Every structure is written in C-alpha cells, then in structure tokens.
Amino acid sequence: MSDPQVTSRTAGTLGGRKQIALLVLCAQLFLDSMDVSLMGVALPELKDDLGLSAEELQWIISGYAVAYGGFLLLGGRAADLFGRRRMFFWGTAVFAVASLAGGFVSDGTLLIVSRVIKGVAAAFIAPAALSIIMTTFKEGPERNRAVGIFSLTGASGYAAGLVLSGVLTELNWRLTFFVPFVIAALVLAAVRYAVSPDPVRDGERPGFDAFGAVTATGGVLLLVFALTRAPEVGWGSAATVLSLVASVALLVAFVIIQNRRAEPLVQLSIFRSRTLSTANVVGLTWACATIGWQFVALLYLQQVLDYSALGAGAAIVPMAAAILVTVNVTPRVINRFGLRVPAVAGLLLQGLGILLFLRADESSEYVTVLLPALILHGIGNGLSFPSFNVAGVSGVADEQQGLATSLIQSALQLGGGLGVAVAAAVLATGGEGGLASYHRAFLAVGLFSLAGALAAALGLGPARTPEPDGAADAPDAADAADGPKGAAGATDTRTDARTDARKGTTDGSDPAVLEREGA
C-alpha cells in the first residue's frame, strides 16, 4: 500500500528544481540503459586483451542482467522502507565505484564481479527513481509527461550504448567502464541538490524479505552457471548435477518462504491469473531471444565478418530504428485486435528475423543478408513488447499493480541472462568460433521466440482492450521503445499505459497505481 506520508508530499516541495530533478533521474536511467548495450561491442576486445573464455564473456553480460532481475523486487521494497532518495543515492554511489573498479582490473573474474555489483546497484536505483518522479510531479498530464520523458530516455540510452561502445572500444575498451563512472559521479553530485529529502517515518517498519531475494537470485545464478559449464565439463558431471540440484533447492525454498511470510517479497497468489502468468513466460522467452541474439550477433559481426567495433555498433542501429517506428503503431493494433494478435505476430517476426541469420556466412552482404533480418527483428520487437507488458497487469487488483510490473521486469532481466547463457553454451559446443556454432546459436535463441509465440497464442486470449485512441499512444510508445535494452527503464511507463488499457481512462494516472509503481 502507498505510504500516506509519501503521498502527502506535493510537487511544490522542490519548487523550480523539479525539472532539474527529472534531468538527474533521467541521466541515471540513460546510464543504466546504456550499460546494457555498452558491453556487447567490447566483448571481442575484452577476449583478446584479457584472454577471456567464452564462458567469462557471457557472464560479463548475464551477470549484470541476472543480478538486476534477481534483486529488483528487493530494491523496490528497500526504497519504500529506507527512503527513495537514500536508495537512489547509495545505489548510484555503488554503481559508480563498481564502474571505476571494472575499468582498472585485468582479471576476468574481478571484471565479472564488478558487473554483478553494478546489476545489484541498478536494481535498487530504478524503482527508487520512478518513485521519486511519482511523488515529485502532480498526478495528471504533468506526471505523465515526466514518466514519458523518463522512459524515452531509457530507449535512447540503449541505442546510444550500441554506437558509443563502438567509439569507446576503438580507443580503449576500459573507457566503457570509465565513461559510466563519470556520468554516475555527476549524478551523485547533483542528487542531494535536485531531489528533496525523504520524509521522516514514524512507527514500526514492515518486514524486509531479504531471504526471499537471496534464494531466488541464488537459484537463478546457479541455473545459469550449470547451463554455462555443462558443455565444458559434461551434463552428467558432479559440478553440473550439484549446481542444478542446488538451484532447484533454492527456488523451492523461495516458494516456501513466500508462502509462510506475512509480508512476502512476492504474493504467489498473483500467479493464479492465467494471463499474468503467460505474460511473464512470454517476457522471459522474449528476453532470452533478444539479448541472447545480441550476444551472438555482435560476436559474429566482429569475429566472422571482421567488422570494427564501431561498425558492429552502427550495424545494429536499423533494428533500433525499426522498433521506434513500430511502437508508435502498436497501441492502435492492440486496440483493434487485442493482445494475442500483436504478441504472436511480433514474436513470430522476431523469430524469423533471428532465424534469417542462418543464411549468414563468412562473406555475407550487409544490405542483402543482414539488413532484412535486422528490420524484421526490430518490427517483431516493437509489436510484441508492449503486448505482453499490457497483458502482465490486465485484471490485476490495484494493490498488486506494482508487484505485477516488477514481475515482468524481473522476467525480462532474468530471461536476458539465461538467453546469453544458452547462446554461449551452444557456441562452446561447436568449438568456439566456427560458422556452424554461430548457426546453432542463432537457431537456439530463435526457438525462444517461437516458444514465446506459442505461449502467447495459448494463454493471452483473444479479448480486446479497448480505449480511446489518445489514451495510451504516448505511454505505450515510450514504454515499448525500451524493448531491446532489458534494463531499468522498461518498468517505468508500463503502469501508466497498462492502467490506461485496463481502466479506459484518458490519462492513465490513477494515483494509487502510480504511487506504488516505484515499489
């Protein structure tokens, strides 16, 4: 439930500094989003310079995503319990220190540790940042504009990361760590001026389900570890079997903890909704395909086609452009045909775009072979992403909207980590670097899209979600533009758009829902 002390804080608290507060919060979201795509282009340079294995390379990506997804729910809870500005400040501080440390280390394990720490920090930053926006800007058009800008910043950060990573990697891959440190340090210096202090809390604090977060995250990390190591040590080896058994035990413990706690991290009864459960499965498979494909495609461009780091980043830009164009149409498609049609069609197009990379060889032409696949992939992303996000909160009670949104975001982050793990495992089975191993990896991640399309066809249902044409266009478009990044901003405007779809309001600004969204 929303805190009455926080709710009572008015937009006037910051006076003329509200816009500065939004700028600071957007700068951090831009950084979080950029950090997701920033490392992809740098992977070959990291491999050559530090002598990293394929397993270590995938953990540089998936370690961040899994830590982010695993601790996101706990991060939102901590913002409510200990103060939103406090969590934003200290999360940004940890993010900055981990970025700086990562730029100096020359050991693969330490580099992975720095990325995992950054993922945990981002999980505490994102919900705190959105909560600050919700309590700073007045309900209605002012708040909706702020949330829309916040979300579009995330989409811009992802696209900028793809290109900027190429530029920075051409100079030195360590700049991909040092530049985020500089941005985070600037945010840190401004946050105490721009954001008003947290209100003083009286009375006993609610429970803090740290054990729930630890067991869930530990279970997923061990699962990813088992998938990654199995091709090298064998599926029947002690390391693989013990990791899988421990993973299952931790996830079972998580379920038991949630059932027994008076104030659980996740109220498991929410999964009784078939639509919500299906949306989370679809989101997981979507992220497995999208982020797994990005991992394989950027390695293919640089290691097989000999693209430069800058060229590889620029080559992906048409896909991002296709997403931005498509998401402006998707809300109208949802209004006309409901959720099932765009979700299924989008996932099938995404899968087709990925599977078209099976045509790629050692001398593929960009315009005739790669570009059509990239554009189809982008259109599929733009259609499917908003559809399963709207489904993820359809029919959910007001008091569970925040939880439903956090579950979708967690599914996306964890799916990204698992997708990279599977892609890396498949690459490793083919002798690392051969064209056939890349084809098998593209096939593996493409099948995730097809599995998601099947789940959407069976579980989302044909029901339409009618609303006025202008009701969700801007929020949905902003929100769906975050699709490929799988990072902090993806959560940020979904409740606006999906509350709109569920309630049929014209501004999507139900205060109870918006107030909880950051938690």
Side-chain angles (χ1 to χ4, degrees):
M1 298 176 65
S2 59
D3 184 347
Q5 292 178 333
V6 176
T7 306
S8 64
R9 225 172 77 199
T10 65
T13 304
L14 292 179
R17 290 184 292 179
K18 285 195 297 182
Q19 302 307 318
I20 299 176
L22 182 60
L23 176 64
V24 169
L25 297 171
C26 285
Q28 182 59 42
L29 176 62
F30 183 92
L31 174 59
D32 290 348
S33 304
M34 183 178 72
D35 211 60
V36 173
S37 56
L38 198 60
M39 296 307 303
V41 177
L43 291 180
E45 291 291 332
L46 286 169
K47 178 182 179 181
D48 295 339
D49 194 16
L50 302 183
L52 302 182
S53 66
E55 177 187 348
E56 290 173 314
L57 285 180
Q58 73 90 9
W59 270 104
I60 289 175
I61 302 296
S62 61
Y64 179 92
V66 172
Y68 190 165
F71 282 92
L72 185 68
L73 296 172
L74 187 62
R77 187 68 168 156
D80 271 349
L81 295 177
F82 303 115
R84 290 155 182 175
R85 190 181 80 166
R86 184 177 292 112
M87 286 297 102
F88 182 86
F89 178 87
W90 288 110
T92 302
V94 172
F95 191 99
V97 171
S99 293
L100 183 63
F104 282 114
V105 301
S106 295
D107 177 80
T109 300
L110 293 177
L111 200 65
I112 292 168
V113 169
S114 73
R115 290 283 294 167
V116 170
I117 292 173
K118 289 174 74 172
V120 174
F124 283 79
I125 293 168
L130 184 60
S131 296
I132 291 170
I133 287 181
M134 296 307 175
T135 55
T136 298
F137 292 87
K138 289 191 301 182
E139 172 198 346
E142 180 182 276
R143 183 184 288 176
N144 292 340
R145 281 195 298 271
V147 172
I149 292 170
F150 187 67
S151 185
L152 285 172
T153 300
S156 302
Y158 177 81
L162 287 173
V163 178
L164 186 59
S165 63
V167 176
L168 297 179
T169 303
E170 286 286 336
L171 299 172
N172 191 308
W173 65 262
R174 294 184 184 275
L175 291 175
T176 61
F177 287 86
F178 291 143
V179 168
F181 163 74
V182 172
I183 298 175
L186 292 174
V187 170
L188 205 60
V191 66
R192 289 190 181 276
Y193 168 79
V195 181
S196 63
D198 296 310
V200 177
R201 293 178 181 273
D202 298 320
E204 185 178 353
R205 295 182 186 274
F208 188 57
D209 190 11
F211 288 113
V214 169
T215 52
T217 304
V220 173
L221 285 171
L222 283 172
L223 177 61
V224 175
F225 175 79
L227 291 173
T228 304
R229 292 286 293 166
E232 294 185 18
V233 300
W235 289 97
S237 67
T240 302
V241 172
L242 289 175
S243 296
L244 290 174
V245 170
S247 172
V248 172
L250 285 171
L251 293 175
V252 170
F254 171 74
V255 173
I256 293 173
I257 289 170
Q258 300 312 287
N259 276 323
R260 294 185 176 181
R261 284 189 66 91
E263 295 174 339
L265 193 67
V266 176
Q267 295 176 2
L268 298 179
S269 61
I270 198 172
F271 291 108
R272 293 172 185 168
S273 166
R274 187 183 73 166
T275 299
L276 179 142
S277 297
T278 301
N280 278 273
V281 171
V282 173
L284 184 77
T285 56
W286 180 94
C288 283
T290 298
I291 308 303
W293 170 87
Q294 177 186 303
F295 174 79
V296 179
L298 290 173
L299 288 177
Y300 164 77
L301 290 174
Q302 294 178 83
Q303 295 188 340
V304 177
L305 296 185
D306 292 325
Y307 278 40
S308 67
L310 180 60
I316 307 298
V317 170
M319 186 185 80
I323 293 171
L324 292 174
V325 171
T326 305
V327 297
N328 285 289
V329 179
T330 301
R332 295 180 177 87
V333 176
I334 293 175
N335 291 341
R336 182 174 179 83
F337 298 104
L339 298 171
R340 176 189 286 174
V341 171
V344 173
L347 285 159
L348 289 175
L349 285 173
Q350 180 195 56
L352 178 60
I354 294 173
L355 294 178
L356 281 177
F357 270 79
L358 296 176
R359 302 166 58 217
D361 56 29
E362 292 90 343
S363 57
S364 294
E365 291 290 334
Y366 179 78
V367 173
T368 58
V369 178
L370 304 184
L371 185 59
L374 290 168
I375 291 176
L376 280 176
H377 190 169
I379 293 172
N381 269 259
L383 276 173
S384 57
F385 187 81
S387 304
F388 67 74
N389 275 287
V390 170
V393 295
S394 294
V396 176
D398 283 353
E399 61 271 16
Q400 292 185 309
Q401 284 286 324
L403 171 60
T405 304
S406 295
L407 287 172
I408 282 287
Q409 176 65 1
S410 297
L412 291 171
Q413 296 297 335
L414 297 177
L418 288 171
V420 172
V422 171
V426 174
L427 278 176
T429 60
E432 194 177 324
L435 183 62
S437 65
Y438 281 100
H439 284 169
R440 283 192 288 270
F442 284 129
L443 177 61
V445 296
L447 290 176
F448 280 119
S449 286
L450 302 184
L454 179 61
L458 295 175
L460 289 189
R464 297 178 58 195
T465 53
E467 60 183 334
D469 282 346
D473 286 0
D476 266 342
D479 158 77
D482 281 333
K485 73 187 179 59
T491 317
D492 303 333
T493 57
R494 288 176 199 152
T495 296
D496 258 0
R498 289 173 288 183
T499 302
D500 232 9
R502 189 167 56 85
K503 295 191 174 184
T505 60
T506 57
D507 62 14
S509 58
D510 176 61
V513 173
L514 292 171
E515 195 62 44
R516 281 192 307 277
E517 177 63 12

